[in-house]
Amino acid sequence: MTRRDRPAADGFGALFDPRGVIVAGASTHPGKFGFVSLHNLLAAGYEGEVFATNREGSDVLGVRSAPSVADLPAGRADLVFVCTPAAANPDLLRACAAKGVRAAFVTSAGYGEAGAAGRRAEAELVTLADELGLLLAGPNGQGVVSTPSKLCAQIVAPYPPAGRIGVASQSGNLVSSFMNYAVQSGIGISRAVSAGNAAAVGVADYLDWYADDPETAVGLAYVEGVPDGRAFFERVRSVVSRKPLVLVKGGATTGGQRAAASHTGSLATDDAVFDGACRQAGVTRAATVEEAFEAAATFATQPLPAGPRVAVVTTAGGWGVVTADAITRSELELVALPDDLRDAVDTKLPPRWSRANPVDLAGGETRDTIPEVLELIASHPEVDAVIYLGLGIQSNQARLMRDGPFWPDHGLDRIVAYHERQDARFAEAAAEISAATAKPILTATELAVADPANPGPATVRATGRLCYASANRAVTALEHLWRHARFASRRSQDRS
Amino acid sequence: MPHTLSEAQSKHLLAAYGVPFAPDRLVADPEGAVTAAEALGFPTVVKLCGDRIAHKTERGLVRLGLADAAAVRTAGADLLAAAAAEDGDVSLLVAPMVRGTRELIAGLATDPQFGMTVVLGVGGVLAEAVADVVVRLVPIDRIDATEMMAGLATQRLLGPFRGEPPVDGDAVAEVLLGLSAAAEAEPGIVSADLNPLIVVDGRPVAVDALVEVSGRVALRAPVPG
């Protein structure tokens, strides 16, 4: 693969925020990509103009289609979404460029993944796109999503909620996975793109553009192979100097490498070398897809910790103990509770509380205890981050009461309303205190997945934050934030 | 064709870029070895040295723990006698015996996708099974070097150990920075191995060095014949 220059930013603007989109090869058959992509584009509420072409010139989903791009008005579409057969694409791109199109997302297969003839066609397509000044995404990719433009130009689901995570992936289905997590958690996506064969534009190119994109707070990438490792390293290092970048790599083991070789044709990479390059570049490398999403979601929604010192606030002992274990195994530090902080918390609780970190309230809390204790702890200068456990347990009991045979009599309606109000209040307090202190406060409870409608986790979600499904997952995400902050801080001190 | 430098040449080349080595002397014959050993102090190590000799230990060309002049003289004579015709020009390398319970390895390796890398690992007889290795791309800076040591999994081995002080992170960083500087300045280097780096009073001492060069790119630092 020859080394290419960084693509012009103008083409990325056309790809992610087009004024209008042409779906080339629109189909009336609801099983075809040419139908599905047009459907998804319209269903997500894209506000720009939508054009379509198909050979018969028939209407598709109420969109008037033309037999060819030549029949469409000029200067109205910036992006063409290509579902036509590979052989038709050179003429199509020429016609689109003549109408002012500046970016093409090519879903068509039959290119680099399809033998020598396909590789030749792919190389010719790249040369042609360069001549025409078109940004060429794909080919053989699943599509592009951009929530600021309500753009869902892809042949797969879902359309995610809007947010600040920018996704780029060598595998289209991993884009879908990340977006499914976004749907589930409510932590949304700014841009997402499947690089497909990455003939002209690779994962690093998209990440580089995200690093300057005001809609994106953090990059999230899946890669299997990096043919020019040194160039990739330089690019991602530059990205990390501007924004956090979370990466998960497929093919980290010999078994995965064999699978990657047949999937994207990626060469095996010595994982120790790849891992070292990530650490040197400051890339946040996650071990699994869900760990990667949760790290990115945390970067997108929490302040960075200034140090490793974590305090745990829990309404019950066992949760605190396992969380202390997880923190101790990590590069975070379970901070010894400072004397003045212990004395301050002591004024809020009956004497049976733990008097140490984890701060175990031991059921001693009254109406305002949790917000007050959270605030005391998060405000203390020797605490860099807080993990809060036990949210939603009273609302869980409330649900049992609501669903039980005695509802709403015997005073159940009043106590249920109280507990649900309290849990919502605690979740709001965690977000407000985090914002006010500029310190991360991560709330963890399995109720986030066991009962997402529980007012505790539901309110965490409403505050725009991730409710972690377990304390150890919160610890892992927080450790990633701390490593990134430490990386940046060491380098900035060195340069000053 | 890539080829290896002799131990003496390898050390000389890497030392020129700041890799610290224990003092040693290259001599022609057993009497020279005795003089060198008396200057450096007993116990002594004598090795057969030549630029075509890459696997000294496997061939029994290293004599350890020589206690006095007689032992050094005998070892020197035996080693010269053990040289094969295909070894080419050979000489004797005399060094003080270095003892330590902990061993590290460090080096340079060319990765097909990422190019030249600096490697640090836990060494010793169990090194392959332990497989505790960290890698960075050349060039590295002091922060990278410090983070490399912190990145080894067996941190307990690096702390205070059996009455010895913790491994000096700055001293390990000097070795890694020297390797990186050598690789940057000398595109002719294909690989380098410092194996073992014996930890003596907390400081890593490289007691062997093997540099492989491409042969197509001339070395910039002077290397003794």
Side-chain angles (χ1 to χ4, degrees):
Chain A
M1 180 186 271
T2 53
R3 182 123 169 229
R4 295 172 54 84
D5 291 339
R6 179 182 173 180
D10 171 68
F12 288 104
L15 178 67
F16 289 111
D17 297 311
R19 286 169 304 159
V21 180
I22 301 167
V23 175
S27 170
T28 53
H29 188 303
K32 302 269 192 190
F33 290 154
F35 179 96
V36 174
S37 51
L38 183 60
H39 171 273
N40 291 352
L41 186 63
L42 298 169
Y46 174 63
E47 286 163 350
E49 283 190 283
V50 176
F51 305 92
T53 66
N54 81 1
R55 272 179 302 187
E56 292 79 37
S58 38
D59 289 4
V60 183
L61 292 167
V63 175
R64 188 76 182 277
S65 77
S68 87
V69 170
D71 304 317
L72 296 174
R76 306 260 288 272
D78 294 322
L79 171 66
V80 60
F81 192 82
V82 180
C83 302
T84 42
N89 290 343
D91 286 343
L92 174 73
L93 293 193
R94 283 188 197 95
C96 286
K99 296 289 182 179
V101 168
R102 291 172 297 134
F105 193 102
V106 179
T107 62
S108 324
Y111 287 101
E113 80 289 356
R119 283 195 292 276
R120 198 160 51 243
E122 184 169 298
E124 286 165 9
L125 199 69
V126 171
T127 305
L128 176 63
D130 285 347
E131 283 167 17
L132 298 171
L134 277 176
L135 182 100
L136 177 68
N140 194 28
Q142 293 191 345
V144 56
V145 162
S146 176
T147 57
S149 291
K150 296 187 183 170
L151 178 74
C152 181
Q154 57 173 354
I155 58 175
V156 289
Y159 180 67
R164 311 253 296 148
I165 301 174
V167 176
S169 172
Q170 283 177 349
S171 162
N173 288 309
L174 268 296
V175 178
S176 299
S177 294
F178 289 136
M179 295 197 300
N180 284 329
Y181 283 122
V183 169
Q184 183 220 357
S185 67
I187 310 302
I189 301 293
S190 54
R191 327 280 191 178
V193 64
S194 144
N197 293 358
V201 185
V203 166
D205 296 310
Y206 296 112
L207 296 174
D208 198 347
W209 188 78
Y210 294 162
D212 293 330
D213 172 24
E215 302 289 344
T216 301
V218 55
L220 174 57
Y222 172 81
V223 299
E224 286 177 7
V226 280
D228 187 345
R230 185 58 72 146
F232 185 83
F233 167 74
E234 296 298 346
R235 297 291 293 285
V236 296
R237 175 145 79 171
S238 155
V239 168
V240 173
S241 71
R242 288 170 280 164
K243 253 165 224 178
L245 168 59
V246 181
L247 180 146
V248 62
K249 182 176 183 297
T253 65
T254 49
Q257 283 161 6
R258 279 192 295 275
S262 65
H263 178 215
T264 54
S266 298
L267 297 167
T269 303
D270 181 332
D271 198 61
V273 177
F274 188 82
D275 197 65
C278 285
R279 288 174 188 274
Q280 198 170 356
V283 170
T284 298
R285 189 177 178 197
T288 65
V289 174
E290 66 268 26
E291 181 185 319
F293 179 80
E294 290 179 3
T298 309
F299 277 114
T301 57
Q302 296 272 357
L304 283 180
R309 299 166 300 181
V310 184
V312 179
V313 177
T314 176
T315 54
W319 291 325
V321 175
V322 294
T323 309
D325 282 339
I327 291 170
T328 305
R329 285 189 202 110
S330 76
E331 293 180 34
L332 299 166
E333 178 193 326
L334 187 69
V335 63
L337 209 59
D339 289 347
D340 60 330
L341 181 54
R342 188 181 57 233
D343 294 346
V345 173
D346 204 33
T347 65
K348 306 287 181 191
L349 286 167
R352 66 174 181 274
W353 75 284
S354 64
R355 309 182 64 81
N357 186 18
V359 174
D360 175 5
L361 306 180
E365 63 270 28
T366 54
R367 193 178 172 283
D368 298 316
T369 311
I370 287 175
E372 288 174 355
V373 169
L374 276 179
E375 177 152 33
L376 280 174
I377 291 174
S379 306
H380 197 279
E382 290 173 44
V383 172
D384 299 310
V386 178
I387 293 178
Y388 166 41
L389 312 169
L391 180 70
I393 50 172
Q394 297 292 8
S395 295
N396 206 31
Q397 174 58 45
R399 180 179 165 178
L400 205 54
M401 289 174 165
R402 263 187 197 281
D403 296 346
F406 302 105
W407 173 262
D409 303 328
H410 312 282
L412 294 186
D413 54 347
R414 284 188 57 214
I415 192 74
V416 162
Y418 172 74
H419 286 318
E420 293 181 343
R421 210 164 49 235
Q422 283 292 88
D423 276 321
R425 206 177 138 227
F426 299 159
E428 280 164 6
E432 284 163 12
I433 295 164
S434 169
T437 57
K439 293 178 187 177
I441 299 181
L442 283 67
T443 302
T445 167
E446 69 285 350
L447 292 168
V449 286
D451 184 11
N454 180 303
T459 307
V460 174
R461 182 180 171 127
T463 65
R465 293 185 175 221
L466 182 60
C467 189
Y468 301 82
S470 71
N472 58 296
R473 281 160 72 168
V475 168
T476 299
L478 184 59
E479 184 182 25
H480 281 309
L481 259 64
W482 161 236
R483 284 184 179 171
H484 174 82
R486 184 178 61 189
F487 178 91
S489 140
R490 281 178 182 159
R491 269 82 185 166
S492 69
Q493 282 163 14
D494 189 53
R495 286 182 197 120
S496 63
Chain B
M1 275 293 288
H3 64 273
T4 53
L5 302 181
S6 75
E7 179 181 339
Q9 289 170 324
S10 298
K11 286 178 172 174
H12 196 274
L13 177 64
L14 297 176
Y17 295 100
V19 177
F21 287 99
D24 59 20
R25 299 217 181 150
L26 195 61
V27 299
D29 53 37
E31 282 316 311
V34 170
T35 310
E38 282 167 346
L40 293 168
F42 293 98
T44 301
V45 180
V46 180
K47 307 184 227 186
L48 191 67
C49 183
D51 54 13
R52 295 188 207 160
I53 301 176
H55 303 286
K56 291 184 290 285
T57 306
E58 291 84 337
R59 288 182 53 197
L61 301 179
V62 179
R63 299 296 154 88
L64 302 171
L66 305 170
D68 53 32
V72 168
R73 190 177 292 110
T74 307
D78 289 353
L79 288 172
L80 290 172
E86 60 269 25
D87 291 336
D89 291 341
V90 295
S91 42
L92 298 171
L93 193 65
V94 183
M97 180 77 192
V98 171
R99 287 180 198 279
T101 43
R102 292 174 287 185
E103 291 184 3
L104 302 172
I105 54 171
L108 297 168
T110 306
D111 180 84
Q113 285 150 51
F114 287 90
M116 187 55 80
T117 63
V118 187
V119 181
L120 173 69
V122 171
V125 289
L126 300 178
E128 265 185 59
V130 173
D132 186 5
V133 172
V134 289
V135 183
R136 294 292 185 273
L137 312 188
V138 169
I140 60 168
D141 62 20
R142 189 168 291 278
I143 300 169
D144 297 322
T146 306
E147 289 179 348
M148 283 179 79
M149 196 172 109
L152 286 172
T154 35
Q155 286 295 311
R156 275 193 188 176
L157 201 65
L158 306 174
F161 187 80
R162 293 193 182 185
E164 293 182 46
V167 176
D168 181 341
D170 290 341
V172 173
E174 288 307 321
V175 173
L176 301 173
L177 289 166
L179 286 168
S180 175
E184 237 190 323
E186 301 281 7
I189 294 179
V190 174
S191 72
D193 275 308
L194 300 177
N195 186 13
L197 281 168
I198 298 180
V199 178
V200 183
D201 294 331
R203 294 182 63 83
V205 179
V207 297
D208 196 0
L210 182 62
V211 173
E212 186 187 8
V213 294
S214 74
R216 282 173 297 154
V217 184
L219 295 175
R220 293 168 56 190
V223 171

